[in-house]
Amino acid sequence: MIYIHIPFCKQKCSYCNFHFSTSMNFKDEMLDAMKKEIFLRKDELHNKNLQSLYFGGGTPSVLSSDEIKSLIDEVLKHFNFNNDIEITLEANPDDLNAQFLKGLSTSPVNRLSIGTQSFFDEDLKLMNRAHNASEAEGSIKRAQDFGFENLSIDLIYGSPTSNLEIWKQNLNKTIALEIPHISSYALTVEPKTALENWISKGKVSNPKEEEQNREFYYMIDFLKDHGFNHYEVSNFAKEGFYSRHNSAYWKYQEYLGIGPSAHSYNGNDVRSWNVANNQQYIKKLSSNTLAKETEILSQNDQFNEMIMIGLRTIWGVDLASLNQKFSENILDKFNKAIKNKIEDGILKIENNHLKIPEKHWFMADGIASDLFLI
Ligand code: SF4
C-alpha cells in the first residue's frame, strides 16, 4: 500500500501537531517533487499488487481534483495494482463543494475520509476548524449525492465544549446520515498547540479523562447497537466497510510513504521517514535525491511495535508469529509480564491471540506500554 502525505492546510486546528504548511506558495513544486519520489521508489514494493492508496495530511482536499488525479496516475503508472484497489482521500467539509466533488467523482478515488470532528459549532470553534456545523452535515450529503458511498468520518469526543448529551446527538446524526465507517478519537492536548496554550492560560478547561471515558464507552455500545463492528480502539465499521489501508497497517504489512514527513515500513525490520520540511523535501527531490532517513529496527523495537499495534485491534497479537520471530529471552520476559494481567482480566488469550478485553480498550496504550521491552 502507498500513503501520500499532502502537507498543506488552510488553517491550523487548535489541537493539531501534524506536519503541514498553511502557505500554498510552493504547491506546484511540491507536486512535482512527489511525482519524482513516486518514480524514484517505484521498485520498493517489489512488484506486489497495490491494494490501497491513501491520501492523508495535512488536507489533501486543498488540491484540485485534477491535481489529485495526476498523482494517482503517477502511482498507477509505476506500480502494479489490484483492479479493486481502495483509493482514499482525506477531505475537509469546507472543501467538499459541488465542483470539487464532481471532478472527484470522475477520478479513481472510491473512498472519502471526512474530517467532520463534530456537528456542533461550539466544538468546531474551539478546535479552530475551517468548517461550521452546517458544512459538516452538508458535505456528507453532497458526497453521497455524487455517488460516494464508502465514507468515513472523523469525530472527536471529550472536548471541554461537549458533554455526554451533545456527544449522543453527534452519534445520532452520524447514524441518520448512514455513514458506514467512523474513526473517533479523544481530544488530546499536544505540546506546542494553541489548545495547550489556552489551557495553560486558563482560557479553556482541560478535557476531563472521566468524561472522555464515559463518552468512549457510550459510543461503543451505541454503535454496536447500530450494526457497527469495533475493529480497532478508535475505529468502527459496518460489515464490508473496514478501511483496507488501516487494516493492512495494523497487520504489519509493508507500506510506502510519499511526501514530507511520510513514513515507510518494509514489513520486517526497516523503517524510514522523509524530512518533515517542505522546502528541504522539494530541494532534495529536485536533485533526484530521496529526502529520507532509514533505521533498522532492533528486536525490542519490532516487538514493541507488534504489541502496540496488535493490542489496539480485535485481531490482537498473534502469539504464533511472536514465538517464531523473537528470542527465548524476549519471550520469557513477555510471558512473565502478561501472566498477572491475564489473571486480573486485563488481557486474555483467544485462539492463540493476545487481546485486551473491550471493556479495557480505553486504557489500551497504557496496557501495551507496560509490556514494552526497553
Ligand atoms: S486539517 Fe487536519 S492536519 Fe490540518 S491542522 Fe487541522 S487537524 Fe491538523
Side-chain angles (χ1 to χ4, degrees):
M1 56 183 177
I2 292 184
Y3 171 83
I4 299 186
H5 187 85
I6 305 298
F8 302 113
C9 289
K10 277 189 193 156
Q11 64 187 53
K12 192 169 174 56
C13 299
S14 62
Y15 55 91
C16 179
N17 67 350
F18 290 170
H19 171 69
F20 64 89
S21 160
T22 48
S23 158
M24 302 278 281
N25 285 347
F26 294 95
K27 188 186 64 174
D28 291 345
E29 290 82 347
M30 177 60 73
L31 294 178
D32 287 345
M34 286 175 164
K35 287 175 191 166
K36 180 76 71 64
E37 187 183 8
I38 291 166
F39 173 74
L40 290 174
R41 300 182 72 180
K42 64 186 184 340
D43 297 324
E44 282 191 33
L45 295 178
H46 312 105
N47 291 327
K48 278 190 203 134
N49 274 5
L50 280 183
Q51 292 185 43
S52 157
L53 170 60
Y54 190 102
F55 287 87
T59 310
S61 56
V62 295
L63 300 181
S64 70
S65 53
D66 282 342
E67 287 165 339
I68 294 162
K69 281 183 210 169
S70 74
L71 284 169
I72 297 173
D73 285 348
E74 200 63 20
V75 170
L76 300 185
K77 189 159 89 188
H78 296 298
F79 290 86
N80 298 329
F81 56 93
N82 283 359
N83 284 339
D84 66 343
I85 182 171
E86 175 186 276
I87 303 185
T88 304
L89 183 90
E90 286 183 357
N92 278 346
D94 42 299
D95 294 323
L96 292 177
N97 55 47
Q99 191 197 351
F100 179 77
L101 281 163
K102 190 172 174 208
L104 210 60
S105 65
T106 62
S107 80
V109 171
N110 51 24
R111 183 171 184 270
L112 292 180
S113 172
I114 305 178
T116 307
Q117 316 309 349
S118 171
F119 293 101
F120 284 86
D121 279 331
E122 227 182 311
D123 292 343
L124 295 169
K125 272 188 201 141
L126 174 88
M127 296 172 198
N128 198 37
R129 298 291 308 190
H131 64 279
N132 59 30
S134 111
E135 287 170 309
E137 187 172 343
S139 61
I140 293 166
K141 289 182 174 158
R142 239 183 337 270
Q144 289 165 331
D145 288 345
F146 275 96
F148 289 97
E149 286 172 3
N150 195 351
L151 285 186
S152 176
I153 65 166
D154 290 348
L155 285 178
I156 291 182
Y157 59 91
S159 158
T161 43
S162 184
N163 56 40
L164 189 57
E165 280 318 302
I166 291 178
W167 182 234
K168 285 180 184 175
Q169 290 180 49
N170 266 320
L171 293 171
N172 278 320
K173 178 76 78 183
T174 305
I175 298 302
L177 288 166
E178 298 183 355
I179 295 152
H181 188 284
I182 297 159
S183 298
S184 186
Y185 300 89
L187 183 68
T188 49
V189 185
E190 301 293 346
K192 296 188 189 143
T193 57
L195 184 62
E196 184 197 48
N197 185 268
W198 296 335
I199 290 171
S200 72
K201 290 185 175 148
K203 290 184 183 164
V204 172
S205 53
N206 224 335
K208 293 191 183 59
E209 194 176 313
E210 219 173 87
E211 184 60 26
Q212 294 190 330
N213 192 313
R214 275 204 313 158
E215 292 178 16
F216 176 70
Y217 285 108
Y218 178 84
M219 166 171 63
I220 292 178
D221 291 341
F222 178 89
L223 291 179
K224 271 197 187 152
D225 287 348
H226 287 84
F228 283 82
N229 298 322
H230 188 192
Y231 70 115
E232 196 265 353
V233 171
S234 306
N235 286 275
F236 302 81
K238 292 261 174 84
E239 210 51 59
F241 288 95
Y242 286 34
S243 159
R244 212 183 287 167
H245 187 85
N246 288 346
S247 301
Y249 168 69
W250 296 323
K251 290 176 181 171
Y252 325 109
Q253 291 176 11
E254 183 176 20
Y255 56 87
L256 190 61
I258 303 291
S261 84
H263 283 232
S264 304
Y265 175 56
N266 77 344
N268 186 23
D269 62 351
V270 181
R271 183 164 46 201
S272 66
W273 57 94
N274 285 342
V275 62
N277 179 301
N278 289 5
Q279 288 311 313
Q280 287 175 24
Y281 175 82
I282 290 169
K283 199 167 165 215
K284 281 266 189 188
L285 269 303
S286 68
S287 60
N288 288 324
T289 314
L290 292 175
K292 65 171 182 158
E293 281 184 60
T294 299
E295 123 182 279
I296 306 291
L297 297 172
S298 67
Q299 282 271 299
N300 283 8
D301 291 339
Q302 291 175 53
F303 176 88
N304 294 346
E305 187 115 349
M306 276 184 87
I307 297 292
M308 185 65 177
I309 293 174
L311 285 182
R312 288 180 57 93
T313 68
I314 44 168
W315 305 291
V317 178
D318 180 0
L319 295 175
S321 335
L322 220 59
N323 284 329
Q324 206 178 32
K325 200 168 161 106
F326 296 104
S327 68
E328 248 175 61
N329 182 26
I330 288 181
L331 294 170
D332 270 357
K333 286 186 197 157
F334 167 69
N335 286 324
K336 277 186 195 131
I338 63 173
K339 190 168 175 286
N340 287 347
K341 286 191 164 25
I342 291 174
E343 282 166 11
D344 293 344
I346 294 168
L347 289 171
K348 62 178 180 180
I349 294 180
E350 262 176 19
N351 300 326
N352 212 25
H353 283 70
L354 183 72
K355 300 178 183 180
I356 299 177
E358 199 180 29
K359 66 179 176 187
H360 296 301
W361 272 22
F362 191 68
M363 304 303 295
D365 292 347
I367 296 169
S369 66
D370 285 349
L371 305 180
F372 283 178
L373 298 171
I374 38 174

